[in-house]
Amino acid sequence: MTDVYDKEKRSAVMARVGSKDTSPEMAVRRMLTRLGARYRLHRKDLPGSPDIVLPGRKLAIFVHGCFWHGHDCARGARVPKANRDYWLAKVARNTARDEKAAAALGAEGWAVETIWECELKDEAGLADRLASRLALTSRDSAP
Ligand SMILES: [Zn+2]
């Protein structure tokens, strides 16, 4: 078991360099699948085009990189020394856009869950959090 997990984690780290569908978002999708949730990806028709959408539960999930979206954690605070103002302004714009998207989604009756990249360091903890989140939202196909 431990070996499989390590291998999976290692390839996730290696794949991070590549396409949009790898790394943190993929890990979250795997967790949702394990929890039996049905989801859709990158709904461009919704405010902020959420990374993962659970239509039956009206739950929108964003998987955010800590730096790019200004998370209040050690990684999020690590601003490059060169062009500091440029990066800070960029992150501020992203944060403002995220807040606007969350408000717009809320106005349309969607619940919004933000998952930060740093939370994936504790996969078990995050899976627990997702499980209780799913328990709180209504099911689309309850028996
Ligand atoms: Zn973070």
Side-chain angles (χ1 to χ4, degrees), residues 12-58:
V13 169
M14 275 151 64
R16 188 162 299 193
V17 191
S19 81
K20 189 184 172 76
D21 281 336
T22 52
S23 67
E25 194 187 308
M26 273 298 264
V28 173
R29 278 154 61 180
R30 276 199 302 272
M31 281 179 202
L32 289 169
T33 302
R34 239 177 271 142
L35 291 167
R38 302 175 68 182
Y39 56 81
R40 298 209 183 139
L41 304 174
H42 308 291
R43 281 275 301 267
K44 301 261 188 278
D45 56 320
L46 290 174
S49 57
D51 298 308
I52 304 169
V53 167
L54 281 63
R57 299 162 188 271
K58 282 213 110 176

Side-chain angles (χ1 to χ4, degrees), residues 66 71 73 116 118:
C66 296
H71 192 211
C73 71
W116 296 97
C118 64

Side-chain angles (χ1 to χ4, degrees), residues 17-134:
V17 191
S19 81
K20 189 184 172 76
D21 281 336
T22 52
S23 67
E25 194 187 308
M26 273 298 264
V28 173
R29 278 154 61 180
R30 276 199 302 272
M31 281 179 202
L32 289 169
T33 302
R34 239 177 271 142
L35 291 167
R38 302 175 68 182
Y39 56 81
R40 298 209 183 139
L41 304 174
H42 308 291
R43 281 275 301 267
K44 301 261 188 278
D45 56 320
L46 290 174
S49 57
D51 298 308
I52 304 169
V53 167
L54 281 63
R57 299 162 188 271
K58 282 213 110 176
L59 176 63
I61 298 176
F62 290 93
V63 184
H64 281 167
C66 296
F67 172 69
W68 291 108
H69 294 268
H71 192 211
D72 182 19
C73 71
R75 192 183 183 133
R78 215 186 294 148
V79 183
K81 283 196 181 104
N83 301 317
R84 196 180 160 82
D85 290 346
Y86 168 80
W87 294 116
L88 286 175
K90 201 171 174 70
V91 169
R93 275 199 305 276
N94 284 342
T95 309
R97 200 184 302 132
D98 294 340
E99 279 167 14
K100 212 172 144 191
L105 284 163
E108 291 182 25
W110 288 83
V112 177
E113 187 76 21
T114 300
I115 293 168
W116 296 97
E117 201 178 349
C118 64
E119 291 182 272
L120 286 156
K121 278 184 251 169
D122 175 17
E123 282 206 33
L126 180 57
D128 278 354
R129 201 186 116 199
L130 282 173
S132 47
R133 188 62 155 109
L134 294 182

